[in-house]
Amino acid sequence: MDFAATAIIDTAALKHNFEVLRRASPGCKVMAVIKANAYGHGLVPVATALENADSFAVARISEARALREAGVRTPIVLLEGVFDASDLQAALALDCETVVHCDEQLALLAASDRQPGIIWIKVDSGMNRLGFPPDRFAGVVAQVSATCEYAELRLLSHFASADLDSSYQTTAQLHTLKPLIESWGGGLSLANSPGGLRGLAAGGFSATDRDVWIRPGIGLYGITPFEDGGAPEHEPLVPVMEFSAKIIATRTIGIGDRVGYGGRFRADKPMRVGIVAAGYGDGYPRMLPDGAPVLIDGARAGLVGRVSMDMLAVDLTDLPDSGYGSAVTLWGKALPVGVVANALGTIGYELVTRVSDRVTRRYL
Ligand SMILES: *Cc1c(COP(=O)(O)O)cnc(C)c1O
């Protein structure tokens, strides 16, 4: 193992999680969400490993381009669609499916002499982020059908609170979507990872008599979307990323000694401290507090002092056998990234997507 921060990506775990998510939504196709460098896990290697995906979803044209340049032939969906005429031409050249969520995008389609083969019409069922109001769905379908006569149209919507147990918002969104789904014979995609794991893929309808895609992202990477508990029963997901580094120095300090920038941490007893070759330049969050969890040679220990750009310090006082060269797990199978994220008041999604370019990713 390298001394410097390294992310080991377990592609067998990735494939396992994919199958868990697929089994949780029987009869559905899987649009694997690999935006943001596959949530920090590496766009192309993740796409290559997910050979059973029915399609991939990305947020940026640049992500679609990187996939095509790497030879990925699987359908690619642009989750936010295109933003101007040159984007639309690029999306066509890359053979992407596109989302249409606003009037500006309807105008772009109408003005183009070529159109995508598959167009996802996004309905805002209550999240108030992207999409047409539900009562415009039929009208937008008619309009797109008229300007894009060869395109296949599909319905897309997104749950705001599928991660929460018994969410009133989810119930309200399902209620809003019900008449649309009832009268829509085409393809349908509603559920992110928590939605799929809650059985919401087809919005309460059967997924066997219509084409339904689930859109899991976070679950593929083995990270629970249910941060606040209240998770439905599901097969276990296995964390895919092992983010680790090694100890490159140790020292002993006395009462009153301080560690790191600003002297935030002050020892109230004699201590042994290890310096680890990982910092915020690698994507390990600088704002983590003293005591934030790490594993040293597999044993739980705590962060001491502010995280630097290239280094951080850990408390080795109770781990006399650990020292120079010891492995430090920042997060991974034995320390879920959500636990670390919790110490910072954020979610695992943010931490994995922040793992920086300079971190070597190794694929198992
Ligand atoms: C990112 C994203 C997803 C994936 O959500 P997860 O919670 O990571 O499963 C699904 N749909 C849309 C529209 C997204 O933007």
Side-chain angles (χ1 to χ4, degrees):
M1 192 176 104
D2 290 336
F3 276 70
T6 303
I8 296 171
I9 309 298
D10 180 348
T11 55
L14 183 69
K15 293 177 198 212
H16 162 85
N17 298 331
F18 177 91
E19 295 302 334
V20 167
L21 292 157
R22 189 212 281 285
R23 281 194 291 270
S25 297
C28 295
K29 298 182 177 57
V30 185
M31 182 193 299
V33 181
I34 57 173
K35 61 192 178 185
N37 197 27
Y39 292 45
H41 293 65
L43 180 70
V44 169
V46 165
T48 307
L50 292 177
E51 58 206 354
N52 291 334
D54 298 289
S55 57
F56 292 123
V58 297
R60 304 281 185 260
I61 296 261
S62 58
E63 296 168 331
R65 183 172 297 117
L67 289 170
R68 291 292 186 237
E69 282 173 358
V72 173
R73 293 279 149 260
T74 310
I76 299 175
V77 183
L78 290 171
L79 285 174
E80 287 133 48
V82 295
F83 309 131
D84 62 19
S86 71
D87 267 6
L88 177 54
Q89 293 316 309
L92 288 165
L94 296 166
D95 193 20
C96 290
E97 302 176 13
T98 190
V99 168
V100 173
H101 60 76
C102 63
D103 287 308
E104 291 82 353
Q105 290 178 328
L106 289 178
L108 287 171
L109 284 180
S112 171
D113 48 11
R114 287 179 56 218
Q115 277 93 22
I118 292 171
I119 299 175
W120 293 87
I121 311 284
K122 186 153 194 183
V123 171
D124 180 3
S125 51
M127 184 162 181
N128 281 309
R129 193 172 63 175
L130 297 181
F132 294 99
D135 61 3
R136 283 196 58 197
F137 178 63
V140 170
V141 166
Q143 205 176 328
V144 177
S145 305
T147 52
C148 310
E149 53 181 324
Y150 299 110
E152 178 190 338
L153 308 193
R154 297 178 184 161
L155 167 61
L156 181 80
S157 197
H158 194 60
F159 293 115
S161 301
D163 56 317
L164 303 179
D165 199 22
S166 325
S167 160
Y168 173 76
Q169 194 175 17
T170 302
T171 307
Q173 287 191 264
L174 287 167
H175 181 76
T176 298
L177 287 164
K178 189 166 182 252
L180 269 57
I181 299 169
E182 230 157 19
S183 58
W184 178 243
L188 176 71
S189 179
L190 307 175
N192 54 2
S193 306
L197 291 169
R198 274 194 201 289
L200 302 177
F205 291 82
S206 156
T208 47
D209 49 11
R210 61 188 81 226
D211 283 336
V212 179
W213 280 258
I214 52 170
R215 301 191 305 274
I218 200 75
L220 292 172
Y221 311 104
I223 300 167
T224 176
F226 306 107
E227 306 282 352
D228 296 327
E233 281 285 310
H234 64 81
E235 292 178 70
L237 301 167
V238 179
V240 171
M241 182 189 291
E242 199 75 23
F243 190 34
S244 63
K246 283 187 173 178
I247 293 178
I248 58 168
T250 60
R251 64 231 313 101
T252 50
I253 61 173
I255 295 172
D257 286 346
R258 292 176 184 272
V259 177
Y261 284 116
R264 181 182 74 183
F265 180 82
R266 182 179 174 279
D268 59 4
K269 60 177 198 270
M271 291 178 70
R272 191 162 156 266
V273 169
I275 308 301
V276 183
Y280 63 80
D282 302 295
Y284 190 78
R286 177 175 176 277
M287 293 307 290
L288 277 167
D290 294 323
V294 297
L295 300 178
I296 301 170
D297 294 326
R300 187 84 168 237
L303 190 70
V304 288
R306 267 190 201 142
V307 173
S308 303
M309 188 180 294
D310 313 306
M311 287 171 277
L312 56 84
V314 293
D315 181 2
L316 295 179
T317 312
D318 298 329
L319 301 170
D321 297 333
S322 295
Y324 187 82
S326 284
V328 179
T329 303
L330 304 169
W331 57 72
K333 290 187 174 68
L335 177 59
V337 65
V339 173
V340 181
N342 229 357
L344 192 64
T346 186
I347 53 177
Y349 293 71
E350 186 181 1
L351 299 201
V352 287
T353 51
R354 276 166 58 168
V355 171
S356 70
D357 278 352
R358 81 170 178 192
V359 173
T360 305
R361 282 144 174 98
R362 270 189 227 301
Y363 294 86
L364 300 181

